[in-house]
Amino acid sequence: DGKAVKIEGEPNHPLNTGYMCPKGLSFLQLQYHPDRLKHPLKRVGAKGAGEWKQITWEEALSEISSELLRIRDQYGPEAIAISYGTYPKRVAIGLSILLAALGSPNQLIGNCHYCYTPHLIADLLTCGEIYTCELGVPDYKKSKCIVLWGFNPLHTYPPLGRKIIEAKRKGSKLIVVDPRLTELASIADLWLQVRPGTDGALALGMLNVIINRGLYDTDFVNNWCYGFDKLAERVKEYTPEKVEKITWVPKEDIISAAELYATSKPASLQSHLGVSMSYNSVQASRALSILVAITGNLDIKGGAEIPNYPIKLTYMNIKRRLRLDKEIEKKTIGAGTYPLLSGPHSFRCLTHPPSVFEAMLTGKPYPIKALILTSNLVVSFEDSKKVVKALKNLDLLVVMDFFMTPSAELADYVLPSATYLECDDICDAFTYTNFIAARQKAIEPVGECRDDNEVLFELIRRMGLRMPFPVTTYREFLDYRLKELGLTFDEFKKKGYIFSDAVERRYEKGLLREDGKPGFKTPTGKCELYSTLLERFGHDPLPNYVEPPESPYSTPDLAKEYPLILITGARHISSYQTMGHNIPHLRELLPHPLVEIHPETAAKLGIKDGDWVYIETPLSSEKVKMKAALTRGIHPQVVSAQALWWYPEGETFEKRAFEPNINVLIPLKPPYGYEPIVGTNVMRGMLCKIRKAED
């Protein structure tokens, strides 16, 4: 009767081969949740007061369109920004097209400056392609050695985690670099328990071993690399003995890992948030990009496979097609300080999100007055209480979501989003390198829920803006993306998914450069171990290591009062970003936010497994409350607090949004500044203290 009753995995699907994680298996509890938003709402009381009026879609779209045009005309298009996070890729397209149509350079306020962006920029600086993060996934069946560096796919990309386990069973070697003993670390041939924030030093130590022992691919280095001699000189100082003192990883393990990775070809290396949420995010990622390159594992099957999608209009290329005039992009917040992140010289034309929140509060360098939001920024972004003040300072906040989250509570308009069961779309999957899939609408939306992208395209039409593509509706845009294949979306749905041929060593065949010449999309045409772009923008052209601004070594006096090193952001399979805490089956898997503590440390603090504890940091007067989870799989000086927690059942806003939210403790504007290349805030590797909660 038009209602979804069961969701199953497709055994022949190339991504998951039928495997479903708990989020997929329980999705119908989200689909038909009694608290799901079903109608457009308009705020009628004070912001955050919870006073709403149900309105029609006609009223909502008309009023939002008028207000966006007023703000554009009064303050300029740069006063309008967007943010996405929930199902980020799908709705990101519509949001980006809307902002480009408005002429605003402030595309994206979210977590991408410390999500995959440091890896993406590091890869692009090195060879002009993406290969060490989830945008390029190897064929693990062909990998003789798999390195997971600050990446826990069993919880964040479960189908990939299963493929890694299968490859391990069939003989692949596994190296895991992680401060925590994850499930994959427990079966690894080598587990390198690195001190949080020191991944760059560890990578430089492995480069030292590989270069000094002649384990690099001499043919690739001699013919396709730029700056090898300078790199060799740089890594001389990072001896295994020195790196052991920095990272707490035994020198014997550093040598063994370097030798195993360099001599097991093809070998794959993937990294994620464990590295990119640190003070050394880009330079540490650069060292990983270079590890892949000099061992000859770039652009080969089972190694670092460069994405090769069947269509040109992938999500990333759509963003490139939406680039604005250089004079407009110069206004992007962050362009002056982080030109590789923001502005006309950037790879992605993102904003620097912390600086955008400052602009909301201060009006500098200019006011930000409107935000269209499809994520729960109050929970997902650092300095959550300051984010609330910034959002309340907007003239217009539009939230598109499934539920009344803490962020939606602050909105002027809340629009009910359709789920993936209720929408058609094209997926160029992050977790596969050479196929696209048809997301097919299975049921009609509940209530008055609508596809976010269709809503955004309708806003463009109502405002009389010029569409950046020759279409008027999102459905037409799906046909437009498939035009080069000679298919309509309806025809694509019958196929399900389309593959392109994987081609190895495209750099030899002239398939990577626009001029058709062999080589890479870099200024020198070679894989740049010595980055000419970093040099041009005043940064160290070689990978380097800087001690975290808070640590037992850089701030020893502070470490006496705050003796523990804090990791934030460890994910759990039961949630996706901030989603899942109100889904019964998922909440049963993880009822409370956990902080992992070594038993010896807990005993000294009088803490037992399951006790409620307070976490405090030196740069915040706040405290966060979590349950202690004792484990020997973490260093006695390190604790790991889960992120993205909120209590949907909380009786007050404070309880819902702040009590379990580790981001409350992280300053939006730290006194020691941000990472210098993309402006990453320190999310992993800061200092903290923990005490038992007596209340």
Side-chain angles (χ1 to χ4, degrees), residues 34 80 92 121 187 196 200 224 235 258 405 496 540 560 562 656 668 683 685:
I80 303 170
I121 288 181
I187 64 169
W224 301 104
V235 302
T405 66
D540 193 334
K560 292 176 183 177
Y562 296 88
R656 289 191 292 276
L668 192 65
M683 312 288 284

Side-chain angles (χ1 to χ4, degrees), residues 309-342:
Y309 293 108
I311 57 174
K312 292 185 177 65
L313 272 182
T314 61
Y315 163 65
M316 296 300 291
N317 284 334
I318 289 169
K319 291 279 288 180
R320 294 187 184 103
R321 288 271 297 270
L322 295 173
R323 296 297 293 257
L324 302 172
D325 181 84
K326 289 185 177 181
E327 291 304 311
I328 296 176
E329 289 195 356
K330 284 180 182 179
K331 297 180 181 179
T332 308
I333 292 180
T337 311
Y338 309 108
L340 292 174
L341 175 78
S342 312

Side-chain angles (χ1 to χ4, degrees), residues 49 63 93 98 125 150 164 193 196 216 328 331 398 425 452 486 513 517 546 608 624 655 670 676:
E63 292 175 20
I93 290 175
L98 169 62
L125 287 168
I164 291 166
Q193 192 179 23
Y216 55 90
I328 296 176
K331 297 180 181 179
V398 178
D425 215 338
D452 290 341
R513 291 168 58 93
K517 295 180 180 179
V546 177
K608 296 183 178 65
V624 167
K655 178 83 172 180

Side-chain angles (χ1 to χ4, degrees), residues 204-216:
L204 288 165
M206 289 177 63
L207 285 168
N208 173 291
V209 174
I210 291 168
I211 292 174
N212 288 340
R213 300 193 180 196
L215 302 177
Y216 55 90

